[in-house]
Amino acid sequence: YNPEDPDPQQRDRNLIVDYVEVDGPIEPSFDPERRARVMGCEPSGPEDLACARRVVAEFARRAWRRPLIDDDVERLMGLVQLALDEGDPIDQGIQLALRATLLSPNFIYRVELDPDPTSEAPHRLGDHELATRLAYFLWSSTPDAALLDAADRGELQDGERLSEQIERMLDDPRSKAL
């Protein structure tokens, strides 16, 4: 932010979102296949926090397109615990954490963290940021598990491995979005 800059485009580069509205599905339905894809495990009882943690952590990793730190998971699990403390079933707590994941700026925006925000020098994208850019460019969607796993292993900075991932993505029917 530099209000004195002679170039009007450099004075204020902030984005303000007034609100986000999501509609649907209109008719709530129970789809066991979709539930299984999201859940990954079924809580064995009302206090199965280990399963809840796996569900919440994996969902947030995919939604936020990056590895999670312990604090990320703990904040989301706090919502699961809040639901349990209020007497709600564990499914309600998991649902609350998943909703919070989708309302987070980490999901709504494609976040690219600058290692030194005060520096004006350009920097390379991290593996997860590159994976996200590739996926949205080639598929108009989020990175799949294979691309996120390659980013986790640091393979996207290697030109040969990056080319392999791009070829794989272009062979996928989702590349029609390109």
Side-chain angles (χ1 to χ4, degrees):
Y1 176 70
N2 184 359
E4 322 285 297
D5 197 305
D7 180 358
Q9 293 185 344
Q10 297 299 318
R11 289 185 192 149
D12 188 357
R13 298 183 63 190
N14 294 317
L15 171 68
I16 298 173
V17 177
D18 187 33
Y19 72 96
V20 174
E21 182 176 332
V22 179
D23 288 330
I26 303 302
E27 295 290 324
S29 63
F30 178 75
D31 180 353
E33 187 178 312
R34 181 178 290 166
R35 177 182 168 85
R37 278 196 319 262
V38 170
M39 293 294 284
C41 65
E42 284 296 326
S44 61
E47 300 286 327
D48 187 357
L49 292 177
C51 174
R53 179 178 298 278
R54 281 195 308 274
V55 170
V56 167
E58 182 55 31
F59 185 85
R61 176 183 177 261
R62 287 190 326 252
W64 293 351
R65 302 166 298 272
R66 63 170 175 82
L68 303 180
I69 58 173
D70 289 339
D71 190 48
D72 294 331
V73 178
E74 290 309 317
R75 280 185 287 130
L76 293 169
M77 286 303 296
L79 296 170
V80 175
Q81 189 60 54
L82 175 66
L84 292 174
D85 292 346
E86 294 293 318
D88 293 327
I90 197 160
D91 278 2
Q92 290 284 0
I94 292 171
Q95 184 178 38
L96 184 62
L98 300 185
R99 283 183 180 175
T101 300
L102 296 177
L103 291 171
S104 167
N106 290 298
F107 173 71
I108 295 172
Y109 303 108
R110 288 181 294 176
V111 176
E112 294 180 358
L113 299 176
D114 192 337
D116 182 5
T118 60
S119 171
E120 294 181 14
H123 66 280
R124 292 182 70 96
L125 291 175
D127 284 276
H128 292 89
E129 296 162 339
L130 182 55
T132 298
R133 281 196 185 186
L134 277 174
Y136 278 99
F137 177 66
L138 296 175
W139 290 342
S140 297
S141 185
T142 62
D144 65 356
L147 191 56
L148 283 176
D149 291 343
D152 287 346
R153 293 188 299 269
E155 294 177 354
L156 300 182
Q157 299 300 325
D158 174 6
E160 187 175 319
R161 298 289 177 110
L162 178 60
S163 293
E164 290 171 5
Q165 286 295 326
I166 291 171
E167 288 297 322
R168 180 187 68 80
M169 295 172 74
L170 289 172
D171 289 340
D172 189 288
R174 289 175 281 187
S175 68
K176 301 289 185 244
L178 174 65

